[in-house]
Amino acid sequence: MLLEISDLRIFYGKAEALRGISLAMDEGQIVTLIGANGAGKTTTLNAISGLLKPTSGQIWFEGKRIDGLPPHQIARSKITLVPEGRRVFGPMTVLENLEMGAFLVRDRSEIERRIQTIYGYFPVLEKRKHQAAGSLSGGEQQMMAIARSLMIKPLLMLMDEPSMGLAPIMVREVARMIRAINKTGVSILLVEQNARMALSLASRGYVLEVGSITSEGEASQLLVDPLVKRAYLGG
């Protein structure tokens, strides 16, 4: 088991954001977490990455308990977060953003090798490497955010709404990138409001409603589940 979450609870003040959720994923999988705004999807990712400390429950990664650890220690475990809204370092160049993604790497020649590998995946970033990241298009900024996260050579990538705000042609490109990254061996926990895309990419899915998991199973089964179709797939 690569990642296992058991009875995770998180409060914001007196409001319970996660109500004892449990989920698991194996190495090499794409697993998706779908649900409406405010369901607790981003809260789940932030807890895994160490940005939020759980009130109770446990998070295990590669057999080691990580809940409560600071974010930099979790990043050293090769867990990386592609945050909602991309959050690139706007005034910095594309190249500088990539270098920031390698903050755990001390060997300059290794950083250069990783950057060249990234340029192989995303040729447009090499063309824009001296351009301010904030001046890129929305789709290019999403590529930038994904590329920056790949700089630590993650075992698990947490992706928060990667298609949000993008034109349909870029949504398809993001889906292609997710498949390509997964084929390199990176496991992906995908949070998406575009439930049809997410379930089409994933092998397994969880439905989160108001802080509780209400349904789970093979993604192909959830795609044809009447309740899921009615609530999240528009039919």
Side-chain angles (χ1 to χ4, degrees), residues 1 3-10 17-25 31-33 40 44 48 56-60 189 204-209 211-217:
M1 193 70 67
L3 177 72
E4 188 170 9
I5 296 175
S6 177
D7 197 26
L8 191 67
R9 296 179 182 272
I10 291 180
L18 292 181
R19 304 180 179 188
I21 71 166
S22 297
L23 62 85
M25 63 184 294
V31 173
T32 188
L33 191 59
T44 303
I48 297 168
S56 64
Q58 298 180 357
I59 304 173
W60 295 80
L189 181 56
R204 186 168 182 81
Y206 293 83
V207 179
L208 191 60
E209 294 183 4
S212 298
I213 290 175
T214 57
S215 186
E216 64 180 273

Side-chain angles (χ1 to χ4, degrees), residues 165-215:
L166 299 182
I169 190 170
M170 280 309 306
V171 172
R172 292 192 291 273
E173 178 62 15
V174 166
R176 185 198 65 78
M177 286 188 285
I178 292 170
R179 286 194 183 96
I181 291 167
N182 179 244
K183 285 180 179 178
T184 69
V186 179
S187 305
I188 297 172
L189 181 56
L190 174 64
V191 160
E192 256 295 339
Q193 280 201 303
N194 186 335
R196 189 176 299 278
M197 181 190 85
L199 291 170
S200 297
L201 291 168
S203 58
R204 186 168 182 81
Y206 293 83
V207 179
L208 191 60
E209 294 183 4
V210 200
S212 298
I213 290 175
T214 57
S215 186

Side-chain angles (χ1 to χ4, degrees), residues 114-130:
R114 294 187 188 191
I115 288 172
Q116 292 307 312
T117 299
I118 291 296
Y119 288 158
Y121 294 149
F122 306 101
V124 69
L125 297 182
E126 184 173 18
K127 294 178 182 178
R128 306 270 197 274
K129 62 183 177 180
H130 297 304

Side-chain angles (χ1 to χ4, degrees), residues 42 46 51 81-92 97 100 133-134 138 141-142 144-146 148-149 160 164:
T42 295
N46 286 343
L51 297 176
L81 173 66
V82 182
E84 180 182 358
R86 299 178 279 277
R87 300 187 191 178
V88 300
F89 299 106
M92 298 169 65
N97 269 264
M100 288 293 289
Q141 286 190 24
Q142 188 62 68
M144 174 78 263
I146 294 171
R148 185 179 61 196
S149 289
D160 195 359
M164 183 177 67

